[in-house]
Amino acid sequence: MKLNLEHIPRVKTITKEDFIKNYYKPQKPLVMERFITDWPAYKKWNLDYIKDIAGDKEVPLYDDRPVNYKDGFNEPHAKMKLSEYIDLLKRKPTKYRIFLWNIFREVPALQNDYALPNFGLKLLKTMPMLFFGGTNSHTFMHYDIDFSNIFHFHFEGKKQCILFDQKQSKFLYKIPHSLIVREDIDFSNPDLKKWPALKKAKGWECELNHGEILYMPEGYWHYMRYITPGFSMSLRSITKNPINVVKALNNFIIMRQYDNLMRKLKGQKWIDWKNTQAIKNTK
């Protein structure tokens, strides 16, 4: 038995009016296949190009090791020159990923390769982020702390994306005081006997190819797996929904600070308690 997933709708391109009416307002995901074909990045951006223009930069790397109480928020597990990392991606599968890297601060010339698209929303100019991964590397199922609307532009290779809205949280084995679910759930091939509540969750899925854009509405859970080596760029638009604004502020001001305090006070016992509580809460 597989997860209950619906294919995310696809369009070649879309007007801002249709996007706002049919996807943003009802908060539904969408894949846009040919929206950025006029960008220089559409033709230029691949792993070799990024290596040539930014190979000397040191990059933060993350893998899929279980969360440890000593880990800081978004603290990298390793660092490496980008040229060495891209060579690694091409040579063999690796768990190491680049996560939330603003390359444009270090290589401003890359800003000439794209333009802020007009979706009818105000996009943050200062926060374009890059994500890289090798074959079968993946993120934990998580949602973004700020409840933004996310536009995820994929370059080179293929990427699997699985999404759930916040209503499905009760079925996902969510870790309390956190933005992730149990790290030992493989959402690309879940053991539904071990995690039976997942049978009730209703979600979305797609495969992203070069130049395609995935729109993820506010607070959507997302799991990303690199089918082949590649990279993506995300742009975001801050939520205007008052309820989600309050949730985002709570995440920043209360939830994250409380979690950091409990890690200091209780250490690994706090992490273990949260993992156990995720199962109890879901049952």
PDB file of all heavy atoms in Angstrom, residues 139-163:
ATOM      1  N   THR A 139      15.597  15.558   1.966  1.00  0.00           N
ATOM      2  CA  THR A 139      15.307  16.325   3.168  1.00  0.00           C
ATOM      3  C   THR A 139      14.360  15.522   4.052  1.00  0.00           C
ATOM      4  O   THR A 139      13.670  14.614   3.586  1.00  0.00           O
ATOM      5  CB  THR A 139      14.616  17.653   2.834  1.00  0.00           C
ATOM      6  OG1 THR A 139      13.317  17.378   2.263  1.00  0.00           O
ATOM      7  CG2 THR A 139      15.435  18.466   1.837  1.00  0.00           C
ATOM      8  N   PHE A 140      14.316  15.856   5.341  1.00  0.00           N
ATOM      9  CA  PHE A 140      13.243  15.348   6.173  1.00  0.00           C
ATOM     10  C   PHE A 140      11.944  16.041   5.754  1.00  0.00           C
ATOM     11  O   PHE A 140      11.960  17.152   5.226  1.00  0.00           O
ATOM     12  CB  PHE A 140      13.499  15.662   7.651  1.00  0.00           C
ATOM     13  CG  PHE A 140      14.732  15.011   8.218  1.00  0.00           C
ATOM     14  CD1 PHE A 140      15.607  15.731   9.011  1.00  0.00           C
ATOM     15  CD2 PHE A 140      15.001  13.673   7.978  1.00  0.00           C
ATOM     16  CE1 PHE A 140      16.739  15.134   9.548  1.00  0.00           C
ATOM     17  CE2 PHE A 140      16.129  13.063   8.510  1.00  0.00           C
ATOM     18  CZ  PHE A 140      16.998  13.807   9.290  1.00  0.00           C
ATOM     19  N   MET A 141      10.824  15.368   5.994  1.00  0.00           N
ATOM     20  CA  MET A 141       9.544  16.042   5.805  1.00  0.00           C
ATOM     21  C   MET A 141       9.471  17.198   6.802  1.00  0.00           C
ATOM     22  O   MET A 141       9.631  16.995   8.011  1.00  0.00           O
ATOM     23  CB  MET A 141       8.401  15.051   6.035  1.00  0.00           C
ATOM     24  CG  MET A 141       7.011  15.647   5.853  1.00  0.00           C
ATOM     25  SD  MET A 141       6.618  16.106   4.142  1.00  0.00           S
ATOM     26  CE  MET A 141       6.341  14.487   3.399  1.00  0.00           C
ATOM     27  N   HIS A 142       9.229  18.412   6.300  1.00  0.00           N
ATOM     28  CA  HIS A 142       9.239  19.591   7.170  1.00  0.00           C
ATOM     29  C   HIS A 142       8.382  20.684   6.538  1.00  0.00           C
ATOM     30  O   HIS A 142       7.958  20.584   5.388  1.00  0.00           O
ATOM     31  CB  HIS A 142      10.671  20.106   7.351  1.00  0.00           C
ATOM     32  CG  HIS A 142      11.267  20.680   6.100  1.00  0.00           C
ATOM     33  ND1 HIS A 142      11.689  19.900   5.043  1.00  0.00           N
ATOM     34  CD2 HIS A 142      11.507  21.967   5.710  1.00  0.00           C
ATOM     35  CE1 HIS A 142      12.150  20.666   4.072  1.00  0.00           C
ATOM     36  NE2 HIS A 142      12.049  21.922   4.450  1.00  0.00           N
ATOM     37  N   TYR A 143       8.138  21.742   7.306  1.00  0.00           N
ATOM     38  CA  TYR A 143       7.531  22.939   6.724  1.00  0.00           C
ATOM     39  C   TYR A 143       8.364  24.140   7.148  1.00  0.00           C
ATOM     40  O   TYR A 143       9.146  24.074   8.101  1.00  0.00           O
ATOM     41  CB  TYR A 143       6.058  23.092   7.125  1.00  0.00           C
ATOM     42  CG  TYR A 143       5.788  23.387   8.581  1.00  0.00           C
ATOM     43  CD1 TYR A 143       5.648  24.699   9.035  1.00  0.00           C
ATOM     44  CD2 TYR A 143       5.633  22.361   9.510  1.00  0.00           C
ATOM     45  CE1 TYR A 143       5.380  24.983  10.369  1.00  0.00           C
ATOM     46  CE2 TYR A 143       5.369  22.628  10.844  1.00  0.00           C
ATOM     47  CZ  TYR A 143       5.242  23.943  11.267  1.00  0.00           C
ATOM     48  OH  TYR A 143       4.994  24.223  12.582  1.00  0.00           O
ATOM     49  N   ASP A 144       8.221  25.248   6.429  1.00  0.00           N
ATOM     50  CA  ASP A 144       9.074  26.408   6.663  1.00  0.00           C
ATOM     51  C   ASP A 144       8.582  27.223   7.846  1.00  0.00           C
ATOM     52  O   ASP A 144       7.374  27.437   8.017  1.00  0.00           O
ATOM     53  CB  ASP A 144       9.145  27.278   5.406  1.00  0.00           C
ATOM     54  CG  ASP A 144      10.034  26.652   4.340  1.00  0.00           C
ATOM     55  OD1 ASP A 144      10.414  25.478   4.498  1.00  0.00           O
ATOM     56  OD2 ASP A 144      10.350  27.330   3.348  1.00  0.00           O
ATOM     57  N   ILE A 145       9.517  27.713   8.619  1.00  0.00           N
ATOM     58  CA  ILE A 145       9.235  28.365   9.891  1.00  0.00           C
ATOM     59  C   ILE A 145       8.367  29.616   9.731  1.00  0.00           C
ATOM     60  O   ILE A 145       7.603  29.973  10.621  1.00  0.00           O
ATOM     61  CB  ILE A 145      10.555  28.712  10.617  1.00  0.00           C
ATOM     62  CG1 ILE A 145      10.310  29.111  12.072  1.00  0.00           C
ATOM     63  CG2 ILE A 145      11.351  29.775   9.861  1.00  0.00           C
ATOM     64  CD1 ILE A 145      11.585  29.213  12.895  1.00  0.00           C
ATOM     65  N   ASP A 146       8.473  30.289   8.559  1.00  0.00           N
ATOM     66  CA  ASP A 146       7.796  31.583   8.392  1.00  0.00           C
ATOM     67  C   ASP A 146       6.474  31.512   7.641  1.00  0.00           C
ATOM     68  O   ASP A 146       5.854  32.532   7.368  1.00  0.00           O
ATOM     69  CB  ASP A 146       8.724  32.576   7.701  1.00  0.00           C
ATOM     70  CG  ASP A 146       9.149  32.116   6.309  1.00  0.00           C
ATOM     71  OD1 ASP A 146       8.778  30.985   5.902  1.00  0.00           O
ATOM     72  OD2 ASP A 146       9.847  32.889   5.627  1.00  0.00           O
ATOM     73  N   PHE A 147       6.018  30.309   7.271  1.00  0.00           N
ATOM     74  CA  PHE A 147       4.744  30.136   6.572  1.00  0.00           C
ATOM     75  C   PHE A 147       4.671  30.956   5.273  1.00  0.00           C
ATOM     76  O   PHE A 147       3.614  31.428   4.882  1.00  0.00           O
ATOM     77  CB  PHE A 147       3.558  30.502   7.482  1.00  0.00           C
ATOM     78  CG  PHE A 147       3.124  29.379   8.385  1.00  0.00           C
ATOM     79  CD1 PHE A 147       3.823  29.099   9.548  1.00  0.00           C
ATOM     80  CD2 PHE A 147       2.032  28.592   8.081  1.00  0.00           C
ATOM     81  CE1 PHE A 147       3.445  28.065  10.395  1.00  0.00           C
ATOM     82  CE2 PHE A 147       1.636  27.553   8.911  1.00  0.00           C
ATOM     83  CZ  PHE A 147       2.341  27.291  10.075  1.00  0.00           C
ATOM     84  N   SER A 148       5.797  31.115   4.601  1.00  0.00           N
ATOM     85  CA  SER A 148       5.800  31.856   3.336  1.00  0.00           C
ATOM     86  C   SER A 148       5.209  31.014   2.210  1.00  0.00           C
ATOM     87  O   SER A 148       5.133  29.776   2.291  1.00  0.00           O
ATOM     88  CB  SER A 148       7.233  32.248   2.954  1.00  0.00           C
ATOM     89  OG  SER A 148       7.717  33.274   3.773  1.00  0.00           O
ATOM     90  N   ASN A 149       4.822  31.692   1.124  1.00  0.00           N
ATOM     91  CA  ASN A 149       4.536  31.037  -0.144  1.00  0.00           C
ATOM     92  C   ASN A 149       5.874  30.820  -0.838  1.00  0.00           C
ATOM     93  O   ASN A 149       6.658  31.751  -1.005  1.00  0.00           O
ATOM     94  CB  ASN A 149       3.633  31.919  -1.011  1.00  0.00           C
ATOM     95  CG  ASN A 149       2.275  32.132  -0.392  1.00  0.00           C
ATOM     96  OD1 ASN A 149       1.372  31.321  -0.551  1.00  0.00           O
ATOM     97  ND2 ASN A 149       2.115  33.238   0.332  1.00  0.00           N
ATOM     98  N   ILE A 150       6.152  29.571  -1.254  1.00  0.00           N
ATOM     99  CA  ILE A 150       7.454  29.216  -1.804  1.00  0.00           C
ATOM    100  C   ILE A 150       7.325  28.894  -3.297  1.00  0.00           C
ATOM    101  O   ILE A 150       6.442  28.133  -3.707  1.00  0.00           O
ATOM    102  CB  ILE A 150       8.054  27.999  -1.081  1.00  0.00           C
ATOM    103  CG1 ILE A 150       8.091  28.228   0.431  1.00  0.00           C
ATOM    104  CG2 ILE A 150       9.447  27.683  -1.625  1.00  0.00           C
ATOM    105  CD1 ILE A 150       8.963  29.368   0.870  1.00  0.00           C
ATOM    106  N   PHE A 151       8.233  29.470  -4.088  1.00  0.00           N
ATOM    107  CA  PHE A 151       8.356  29.128  -5.505  1.00  0.00           C
ATOM    108  C   PHE A 151       9.711  28.462  -5.682  1.00  0.00           C
ATOM    109  O   PHE A 151      10.758  29.078  -5.478  1.00  0.00           O
ATOM    110  CB  PHE A 151       8.229  30.379  -6.374  1.00  0.00           C
ATOM    111  CG  PHE A 151       6.897  31.041  -6.266  1.00  0.00           C
ATOM    112  CD1 PHE A 151       6.654  32.009  -5.294  1.00  0.00           C
ATOM    113  CD2 PHE A 151       5.856  30.677  -7.110  1.00  0.00           C
ATOM    114  CE1 PHE A 151       5.412  32.618  -5.175  1.00  0.00           C
ATOM    115  CE2 PHE A 151       4.605  31.278  -7.002  1.00  0.00           C
ATOM    116  CZ  PHE A 151       4.389  32.247  -6.036  1.00  0.00           C
ATOM    117  N   HIS A 152       9.693  27.187  -6.066  1.00  0.00           N
ATOM    118  CA  HIS A 152      10.892  26.347  -6.094  1.00  0.00           C
ATOM    119  C   HIS A 152      11.253  26.053  -7.553  1.00  0.00           C
ATOM    120  O   HIS A 152      10.537  25.332  -8.250  1.00  0.00           O
ATOM    121  CB  HIS A 152      10.588  25.052  -5.330  1.00  0.00           C
ATOM    122  CG  HIS A 152      11.790  24.287  -4.888  1.00  0.00           C
ATOM    123  ND1 HIS A 152      12.680  24.758  -3.948  1.00  0.00           N
ATOM    124  CD2 HIS A 152      12.250  23.059  -5.257  1.00  0.00           C
ATOM    125  CE1 HIS A 152      13.626  23.855  -3.749  1.00  0.00           C
ATOM    126  NE2 HIS A 152      13.398  22.827  -4.537  1.00  0.00           N
ATOM    127  N   PHE A 153      12.353  26.642  -8.005  1.00  0.00           N
ATOM    128  CA  PHE A 153      12.791  26.542  -9.400  1.00  0.00           C
ATOM    129  C   PHE A 153      13.869  25.463  -9.493  1.00  0.00           C
ATOM    130  O   PHE A 153      14.933  25.589  -8.873  1.00  0.00           O
ATOM    131  CB  PHE A 153      13.379  27.877  -9.876  1.00  0.00           C
ATOM    132  CG  PHE A 153      12.468  29.053  -9.717  1.00  0.00           C
ATOM    133  CD1 PHE A 153      12.230  29.622  -8.463  1.00  0.00           C
ATOM    134  CD2 PHE A 153      11.844  29.624 -10.819  1.00  0.00           C
ATOM    135  CE1 PHE A 153      11.401  30.723  -8.307  1.00  0.00           C
ATOM    136  CE2 PHE A 153      11.009  30.722 -10.675  1.00  0.00           C
ATOM    137  CZ  PHE A 153      10.785  31.274  -9.423  1.00  0.00           C
ATOM    138  N   HIS A 154      13.632  24.430 -10.290  1.00  0.00           N
ATOM    139  CA  HIS A 154      14.588  23.322 -10.341  1.00  0.00           C
ATOM    140  C   HIS A 154      15.467  23.393 -11.587  1.00  0.00           C
ATOM    141  O   HIS A 154      15.001  23.752 -12.676  1.00  0.00           O
ATOM    142  CB  HIS A 154      13.867  21.984 -10.318  1.00  0.00           C
ATOM    143  CG  HIS A 154      14.809  20.825 -10.173  1.00  0.00           C
ATOM    144  ND1 HIS A 154      15.625  20.675  -9.086  1.00  0.00           N
ATOM    145  CD2 HIS A 154      15.099  19.789 -10.999  1.00  0.00           C
ATOM    146  CE1 HIS A 154      16.360  19.586  -9.225  1.00  0.00           C
ATOM    147  NE2 HIS A 154      16.074  19.038 -10.392  1.00  0.00           N
ATOM    148  N   PHE A 155      16.753  23.024 -11.401  1.00  0.00           N
ATOM    149  CA  PHE A 155      17.725  23.033 -12.497  1.00  0.00           C
ATOM    150  C   PHE A 155      18.514  21.731 -12.502  1.00  0.00           C
ATOM    151  O   PHE A 155      19.023  21.299 -11.472  1.00  0.00           O
ATOM    152  CB  PHE A 155      18.683  24.224 -12.366  1.00  0.00           C
ATOM    153  CG  PHE A 155      17.991  25.553 -12.453  1.00  0.00           C
ATOM    154  CD1 PHE A 155      17.592  26.209 -11.301  1.00  0.00           C
ATOM    155  CD2 PHE A 155      17.718  26.135 -13.685  1.00  0.00           C
ATOM    156  CE1 PHE A 155      16.946  27.429 -11.370  1.00  0.00           C
ATOM    157  CE2 PHE A 155      17.066  27.354 -13.766  1.00  0.00           C
ATOM    158  CZ  PHE A 155      16.679  28.009 -12.613  1.00  0.00           C
ATOM    159  N   GLU A 156      18.613  21.145 -13.667  1.00  0.00           N
ATOM    160  CA  GLU A 156      19.361  19.913 -13.932  1.00  0.00           C
ATOM    161  C   GLU A 156      18.771  18.714 -13.204  1.00  0.00           C
ATOM    162  O   GLU A 156      18.499  18.745 -12.007  1.00  0.00           O
ATOM    163  CB  GLU A 156      20.851  20.047 -13.596  1.00  0.00           C
ATOM    164  CG  GLU A 156      21.651  18.839 -14.070  1.00  0.00           C
ATOM    165  CD  GLU A 156      23.129  19.111 -14.272  1.00  0.00           C
ATOM    166  OE1 GLU A 156      23.522  20.270 -14.555  1.00  0.00           O
ATOM    167  OE2 GLU A 156      23.897  18.157 -14.157  1.00  0.00           O
ATOM    168  N   GLY A 157      18.602  17.627 -13.949  1.00  0.00           N
ATOM    169  CA  GLY A 157      18.176  16.369 -13.354  1.00  0.00           C
ATOM    170  C   GLY A 157      16.715  16.347 -12.949  1.00  0.00           C
ATOM    171  O   GLY A 157      15.896  17.160 -13.386  1.00  0.00           O
ATOM    172  N   LYS A 158      16.387  15.399 -12.074  1.00  0.00           N
ATOM    173  CA  LYS A 158      15.016  15.191 -11.613  1.00  0.00           C
ATOM    174  C   LYS A 158      14.956  15.202 -10.090  1.00  0.00           C
ATOM    175  O   LYS A 158      15.887  14.771  -9.414  1.00  0.00           O
ATOM    176  CB  LYS A 158      14.473  13.842 -12.128  1.00  0.00           C
ATOM    177  CG  LYS A 158      14.210  13.782 -13.621  1.00  0.00           C
ATOM    178  CD  LYS A 158      13.640  12.433 -14.004  1.00  0.00           C
ATOM    179  CE  LYS A 158      13.336  12.370 -15.483  1.00  0.00           C
ATOM    180  NZ  LYS A 158      12.207  13.260 -15.861  1.00  0.00           N
ATOM    181  N   LYS A 159      13.828  15.668  -9.600  1.00  0.00           N
ATOM    182  CA  LYS A 159      13.624  15.790  -8.157  1.00  0.00           C
ATOM    183  C   LYS A 159      12.201  15.366  -7.810  1.00  0.00           C
ATOM    184  O   LYS A 159      11.242  15.811  -8.439  1.00  0.00           O
ATOM    185  CB  LYS A 159      13.861  17.236  -7.748  1.00  0.00           C
ATOM    186  CG  LYS A 159      13.983  17.506  -6.265  1.00  0.00           C
ATOM    187  CD  LYS A 159      14.342  18.976  -6.050  1.00  0.00           C
ATOM    188  CE  LYS A 159      14.817  19.248  -4.651  1.00  0.00           C
ATOM    189  NZ  LYS A 159      15.195  20.673  -4.485  1.00  0.00           N
ATOM    190  N   GLN A 160      12.070  14.485  -6.814  1.00  0.00           N
ATOM    191  CA  GLN A 160      10.758  14.071  -6.328  1.00  0.00           C
ATOM    192  C   GLN A 160      10.311  14.991  -5.199  1.00  0.00           C
ATOM    193  O   GLN A 160      11.092  15.292  -4.296  1.00  0.00           O
ATOM    194  CB  GLN A 160      10.806  12.630  -5.817  1.00  0.00           C
ATOM    195  CG  GLN A 160       9.480  12.124  -5.252  1.00  0.00           C
ATOM    196  CD  GLN A 160       9.621  10.808  -4.510  1.00  0.00           C
ATOM    197  OE1 GLN A 160      10.694  10.486  -3.990  1.00  0.00           O
ATOM    198  NE2 GLN A 160       8.537  10.047  -4.445  1.00  0.00           N
ATOM    199  N   CYS A 161       9.050  15.430  -5.258  1.00  0.00           N
ATOM    200  CA  CYS A 161       8.504  16.316  -4.223  1.00  0.00           C
ATOM    201  C   CYS A 161       7.188  15.739  -3.721  1.00  0.00           C
ATOM    202  O   CYS A 161       6.312  15.400  -4.519  1.00  0.00           O
ATOM    203  CB  CYS A 161       8.261  17.718  -4.781  1.00  0.00           C
ATOM    204  SG  CYS A 161       9.695  18.448  -5.597  1.00  0.00           S
ATOM    205  N   ILE A 162       7.055  15.616  -2.408  1.00  0.00           N
ATOM    206  CA  ILE A 162       5.818  15.155  -1.775  1.00  0.00           C
ATOM    207  C   ILE A 162       5.365  16.238  -0.799  1.00  0.00           C
ATOM    208  O   ILE A 162       6.158  16.704   0.029  1.00  0.00           O
ATOM    209  CB  ILE A 162       6.031  13.826  -1.040  1.00  0.00           C
ATOM    210  CG1 ILE A 162       6.438  12.728  -2.029  1.00  0.00           C
ATOM    211  CG2 ILE A 162       4.771  13.416  -0.280  1.00  0.00           C
ATOM    212  CD1 ILE A 162       6.765  11.392  -1.371  1.00  0.00           C
ATOM    213  N   LEU A 163       4.102  16.647  -0.905  1.00  0.00           N
ATOM    214  CA  LEU A 163       3.567  17.740  -0.103  1.00  0.00           C
ATOM    215  C   LEU A 163       2.335  17.297   0.683  1.00  0.00           C
ATOM    216  O   LEU A 163       1.559  16.466   0.223  1.00  0.00           O
ATOM    217  CB  LEU A 163       3.156  18.923  -0.994  1.00  0.00           C
ATOM    218  CG  LEU A 163       4.133  19.458  -2.041  1.00  0.00           C
ATOM    219  CD1 LEU A 163       3.507  20.649  -2.760  1.00  0.00           C
ATOM    220  CD2 LEU A 163       5.451  19.844  -1.406  1.00  0.00           C
TER     221      LEU A 163
END
